[in-house]
Amino acid sequence: MDALIIVFASGLISLFAAFAKKPWLVVGSAMAGLLAAIIVIIGQLQTGKAFFDFLTYEGLAFDQFALLFSLAICVLTLLIVGIGYERFKENPVHTGEYVGLLMFSATGAMIMTAYTDMFMFFLGLEILSIPIYVMAGSNKADVRSSEASLKYFLTGSFATGIFLFGLAWVYGATGTFKLAEIYMKVAEMDTLSPILMIGVLLIMASFIFKVGAAPFHFWSPDVYDGAPPAVTGFMASVVKIAAFYAFLKMFAICFGQGELFLFWKDALIVMIIITLFVGNLSALRQVKFKRLLAYSSITHVGYTLILFVSQVDYFFSSGFLWFYMFSYGFSIVGIIAVAIAVNDPEDRIDGLRGLGKRNPFLAIVAIVALLSLAGIPPTSGFFAKYVLFSAAWKSASWLVIIALINSAISIYYYLKVIVTIASPADQEQEKIKLSPLTIAVLTIALVGMLGFSFILPLLN
Amino acid sequence: MALLLFILPVFFALSVLIVPKQGVRAYGIIGSLAVLGVVIACMMQYNNDGTVQLFAHQPWLAGITISFGYDGISLLMLLLTAVLVPLILVSNFKNELAENRLFTSMVFFMQLGLIGVFVSMDGLWFYVFWEITLIPIFLISWWFGAPERKAALMKFFIYTFVGSLAMLAALIGIKVNAPSFYIEDLKAVVFTSKTACWLALGFFFAFAVKIPVFPFHTWQPDTYTKSPMAGTMLLSGIMLKMALYGMIRWMIPLFPEAVHCLQWPVIILATIGVVYGAVIAIKQKDMKRVFAFASMSHVGLIAAAIMVWDFDALSGSMVQIVNHGLVAVGLFLAVEIIERRTGTRNLADLGGFAKQAPKFAFWFAALAFASVSVPLTSGFIGEFLMLKGLVQFDMIIGIIAGTTLILGAVYTFRAYQLSMYGPVTREQFADLHWSELVVLAIIIIAVVVLGVYPALITDFVNPSLKIVLQTLSTPSGL
């Protein structure tokens, strides 16, 4: 709760700080707020006490996992605010809105991790989504950005509608919005009521849309491609973390028992397989960098969803999910920071050619990030993938084998980008200069990608 | 002490990046000699009873343990790595590449990966280091290789990576039944022979690609020819030994149940590879390609001998692993020497160098003899023991594999004759530079010493091999 309030308040402050037309003030206040939130969360994780305990509303519960996921959200938001800074300097007028919206969106994400009540979840979802609709279109000079915004808004609001529709069915079957009570009601049922089943399917569809898995993935390449890079990074990391954890919480707690689990499990397995192949095979032929990332992120969604059907304990799967999404977030932040620094207007993969000459540090970060996305040791991406697959092996070993085949396919396109980075450019290009803030963010991301797996035993 | 095995390569890999250009050569050699010193110190410390001596053993996350240690087999592989890396660096001395910081750094990263593979006593760390080696070798070849290298290297990377993923799947498959990835825990798991066959197949796939065993070899000749000389040496000299080591340390001990179903297919494939590689090598025009296929043929024999899983054959294969590492490095250096001076490797364009460069002709001839395993070279002992094992296993297989001795003589001496004798084709051909001479001499001396007194190797590894064999003979009654 403390962190939530701090992030929200610093969002407000940075919004008002925009009147000064000084980007550093806006970014500084946002970053200070996020840092404070991170410290507060770590403190609360260690002591178990919160300052604003008396404010606890029963729709929100910041338990261990909610805190851990909020921590991931704050850290990644902090990094994303940091990498966007160079762009704000070019356009100081809109910095306040942009950073403010980012912070509000992060607030929504934190609510989505801590909800215990469907109603609260819906609020969180909207607080998360509406700023993103705006941010995706924030690059007004670019037609594709406007297209991205409109597309995301239309399909996103449609998905929200479907969620509400599904929620209505679930409410009809159980008569409550609270997760714990829904759990009890579902457990008491002798036979599955068709009303509940329809509701669950509709809710699942809206979640599948939000995380961007096939067959509801069509928005994501266009939106990722069109949105400004920092927003793409935010969508691929923070939004996914929140959506996945909310998804897991709802489906593992409320709908994760007995026949109901078996009922949606099969549907999800089919979607996982489609997602993996669609994401990978489409990524093979991409020439644009952010589009490639969009398809690769679809594939990663497929890997992550394996956790949902693998019948491991809720605590384990939340822990695995946290680890996977956090390390994935580091790689995404690293690679997006590279894309921003290279600043190729056409955003081609070939634009990365000769990066090693233009800025060796950037090239190293990019290569490590791509290795981490591909899951090659010793990056944290590998350990994350390993943890995920080993969790799923017992109940769904053939699904793991399909996933491994897909990681083999994915090597091709990641490797293609890596070798492009390592190849010399056709003509001499100017060197890229990095600001200290970008260097700091890149270093954190690099440390995260290489050493994150070593932090984990400490947290246990 | 043993931790220096990790610390030194990392330290040198990073610090070489800031060394001034003219110092890179010396710095690289100093670094690799320091690693060699540490390995020798570890060998001194090791009491040769054949057991695994762990220098780190504690649980980590999710069933992964931090277990590193060595026994005689590991130490022999470590020594091979530590000897070959300075040799490779020295033989590179005359190239511009030797001044390249990135290149030297990558060689050290490669060494780190190799050392990790040989000392990992935890399945997942084995996999991790196994994959780490892939990145520097890929980058070395990508950055410094021949102009038309790209397609070949992509093929190489994807091939080996797919193979490794099969191993990862098998590792996860075995781990779900074991408390941790520690090798003894993994060994304790007992499978039905059907499951064991599938899981062992996962391992075998990874190893077969790297060795390479027929029909998984198609990446190998192209990658060897397109890589820079140092890359080829690393690949054939040390990297494919990882797979042979993996078979002895991991594949067979973890799945003794599977030996019955895998033994015949693997030996047959490996024997096909022996003959096939040798026959193709005879027909090659490119000198590097001759030795690339020769390497495939030699290593196929080692793989077959390991699968026989007989004590003599195993210790023969250990001798041959060392011998092949040394000789392969020497032969590729010989090719490089010719290419440096003439700019081509095409056998048809070469000839007559024996007159112009007598020293080179002598040492190259000695290498050629070592390569065809004449008596008094270590190759003879190795191949003799391995063929003895194969003949005991099955007469026909043994005879077919034995043709390697004849065919090996044909392609090696064909390459030697076409390049060194015949009409003089070049106006001048400079004799050996001291750095080349040092490498060739060290290799030949080592090969001869080991050939006369192979006990240097066998006494060292036999206790460990005995232990590996013993643990295995119980469940499947081999």
Side-chain angles (χ1 to χ4, degrees), chain A residues 16-144:
Chain A
F16 285 110
F19 287 119
K21 300 224 164 89
K22 290 202 174 74
W24 64 265
L25 193 64
V26 177
V27 172
S29 55
M31 288 184 118
L34 285 165
L35 265 181
I38 291 169
I39 293 167
V40 166
I41 290 174
I42 291 176
Q44 199 176 339
L45 271 171
Q46 275 177 347
T47 60
K49 283 196 200 115
F51 183 69
F52 287 109
D53 262 343
F54 59 93
L55 272 179
T56 305
Y57 166 67
E58 61 177 321
L60 286 177
F62 277 92
D63 55 5
Q64 206 82 342
F65 280 120
L67 284 173
L68 280 174
F69 279 92
S70 300
L71 180 69
I73 288 168
C74 289
V75 170
L76 293 172
T77 312
L78 181 69
L79 295 179
I80 286 167
V81 172
I83 55 177
Y85 181 63
E86 288 299 295
R87 288 296 169 79
F88 304 146
K89 282 203 294 199
E90 295 164 13
N91 189 2
V93 184
H94 293 300
T95 313
E97 291 127 65
Y98 176 76
V99 175
L101 286 173
L102 204 65
M103 300 291 281
F104 294 146
S105 191
T107 317
M110 285 162 78
I111 293 176
M112 275 170 77
T113 61
Y115 76 101
T116 57
D117 178 313
M118 294 291 204
F119 179 69
M120 211 58 201
F121 166 75
F122 181 67
L123 276 185
L125 181 66
E126 288 302 285
I127 297 174
L128 170 90
S129 305
I130 292 173
I132 296 178
Y133 300 148
V134 182
M135 283 192 295
S138 65
N139 192 357
K140 273 177 283 187
D142 188 356
V143 188
R144 286 183 307 153

Side-chain angles (χ1 to χ4, degrees), chain A residues 276-292:
Chain A
L276 286 173
F277 280 105
V278 164
N280 262 328
L281 297 180
S282 322
L284 287 179
R285 298 194 62 84
Q286 298 304 321
V287 288
K288 284 192 163 184
F289 189 47
K290 273 199 287 168
R291 258 192 125 68
L292 176 82

Side-chain angles (χ1 to χ4, degrees), chain B residues 298 320 323 368-375 377-381 383 405:
Chain B
H298 280 136
Q320 181 68 354
N323 175 58
F369 280 115
S371 169
V372 301
S373 318
V374 294
T377 63
S378 55
F380 173 72
I381 315 287
E383 292 206 339
L405 292 169

Side-chain angles (χ1 to χ4, degrees), chain A residues 278-320:
Chain A
V278 164
N280 262 328
L281 297 180
S282 322
L284 287 179
R285 298 194 62 84
Q286 298 304 321
V287 288
K288 284 192 163 184
F289 189 47
K290 273 199 287 168
R291 258 192 125 68
L292 176 82
L293 284 185
Y295 282 110
S296 106
S297 104
I298 291 175
T299 320
H300 277 271
V301 169
Y303 297 139
T304 321
L305 284 177
I306 293 176
L307 203 57
F308 287 66
V309 296
S310 61
Q311 280 172 311
V312 274
D313 193 28
Y314 167 69
F315 290 100
F316 276 114
S317 33
S318 311
F320 293 155

Side-chain angles (χ1 to χ4, degrees), chain A residues 371 375-378 382-383 386-387 389-390 393-394 404 407-408 411-412 415-416 419 422-423 453-454 456-457, chain B residues 60-62 64 124-125 127-128 131-132 135 138 142-143 150 154 157-158 161-162 165 168-169 172-173 175-176 181:
Chain A
L371 291 177
I376 294 175
F382 163 71
F383 285 101
Y386 154 70
V387 163
F389 289 169
S390 63
W393 181 274
K394 257 206 171 135
L404 280 172
S407 3
I411 285 298
Y412 176 75
L415 198 62
K416 214 166 67 175
V419 300
S423 314
S453 41
F454 293 87
L456 199 66
Chain B
W60 201 48
L61 67 128
I64 309 169
L124 207 80
W125 283 109
Y127 176 78
V128 167
E131 289 293 6
I132 286 179
I135 297 165
F138 177 78
W142 185 268
W143 282 332
K150 305 205 166 166
M154 286 292 256
F157 195 96
I158 291 167
F161 192 79
V162 171
L165 279 179
L168 180 64
I172 294 177
K175 158 68 178 64
V176 291
F181 270 116

Side-chain angles (χ1 to χ4, degrees), chain B residues 178-247:
Chain B
S180 79
F181 270 116
Y182 179 50
I183 184 164
E184 297 300 330
D185 286 343
L186 294 183
K187 274 184 198 166
V189 183
V190 179
F191 291 102
T192 61
S193 67
K194 201 178 152 201
T195 340
C197 280
W198 281 108
L199 293 176
L201 210 58
F203 271 80
F204 175 68
F205 193 50
F207 297 152
V209 170
K210 209 148 251 177
I211 288 176
V213 171
F214 177 87
F216 305 102
H217 65 280
T218 52
W219 62 270
Q220 188 236 25
D222 285 340
T223 311
Y224 275 26
T225 30
K226 303 288 159 39
S227 299
M229 184 257 308
T232 316
M233 288 175 170
L234 283 171
L235 272 168
S236 72
I238 325 175
M239 206 165 153
L240 56 81
K241 309 301 187 298
M242 288 182 351
L244 298 168
Y245 169 82
M247 285 172 82

Side-chain angles (χ1 to χ4, degrees), chain B residues 1 72 84 89 101 105 112 171 208 223 239 292 318 331 349 368 373 379 411 435 448 457:
Chain B
M1 179 70 199
L84 286 187
L89 286 175
R101 300 188 191 108
S105 169
L112 170 76
L171 267 173
T223 311
M239 206 165 153
M318 294 312 290
L331 286 177
D349 299 341
S373 318
Y411 58 72
S435 64
V448 172
I457 296 178

Side-chain angles (χ1 to χ4, degrees), chain B residues 139-368:
Chain B
L139 288 177
I140 287 176
S141 304
W142 185 268
W143 282 332
F144 312 114
E148 63 287 1
R149 65 201 175 265
K150 305 205 166 166
L153 283 173
M154 286 292 256
K155 189 166 157 191
F156 160 64
F157 195 96
I158 291 167
Y159 238 90
T160 41
F161 192 79
V162 171
S164 319
L165 279 179
M167 179 164 81
L168 180 64
L171 267 173
I172 294 177
I174 179 171
K175 158 68 178 64
V176 291
N177 298 308
S180 79
F181 270 116
Y182 179 50
I183 184 164
E184 297 300 330
D185 286 343
L186 294 183
K187 274 184 198 166
V189 183
V190 179
F191 291 102
T192 61
S193 67
K194 201 178 152 201
T195 340
C197 280
W198 281 108
L199 293 176
L201 210 58
F203 271 80
F204 175 68
F205 193 50
F207 297 152
V209 170
K210 209 148 251 177
I211 288 176
V213 171
F214 177 87
F216 305 102
H217 65 280
T218 52
W219 62 270
Q220 188 236 25
D222 285 340
T223 311
Y224 275 26
T225 30
K226 303 288 159 39
S227 299
M229 184 257 308
T232 316
M233 288 175 170
L234 283 171
L235 272 168
S236 72
I238 325 175
M239 206 165 153
L240 56 81
K241 309 301 187 298
M242 288 182 351
L244 298 168
Y245 169 82
M247 285 172 82
I248 299 175
R249 166 80 68 224
W250 294 95
M251 185 175 108
I252 301 179
L254 291 196
F255 309 104
E257 305 90 340
V259 171
H260 277 305
C261 62
L262 277 186
Q263 200 168 30
W264 269 103
V266 174
I267 290 181
I268 288 175
L269 285 182
T271 314
I272 292 176
V274 170
V275 180
Y276 174 87
V279 171
I280 303 242
I282 295 175
K283 298 293 288 179
Q284 290 306 312
K285 296 191 182 79
D286 182 335
M287 209 168 160
K288 207 169 175 184
R289 262 184 116 79
V290 173
F291 294 127
F293 279 108
S295 168
M296 176 184 158
S297 167
H298 280 136
V299 181
L301 183 61
I302 305 180
I306 290 175
M307 273 321 277
V308 171
W309 207 244
D310 163 77
F311 182 75
D312 285 345
L314 268 182
S315 67
S317 60
M318 294 312 290
V319 176
Q320 181 68 354
I321 283 174
V322 174
N323 175 58
H324 179 261
L326 292 167
V327 171
V329 168
L331 286 177
F332 285 117
L333 175 63
V335 175
E336 169 80 6
I337 288 172
I338 291 177
E339 195 187 357
R340 261 182 218 161
R341 287 160 175 68
T342 63
T344 176
R345 298 190 301 250
N346 193 346
L347 281 171
D349 299 341
L350 302 173
F353 303 141
K355 278 202 190 103
Q356 291 154 316
K359 272 193 275 179
F360 177 50
F362 169 73
W363 291 110
F364 189 13
L367 262 181

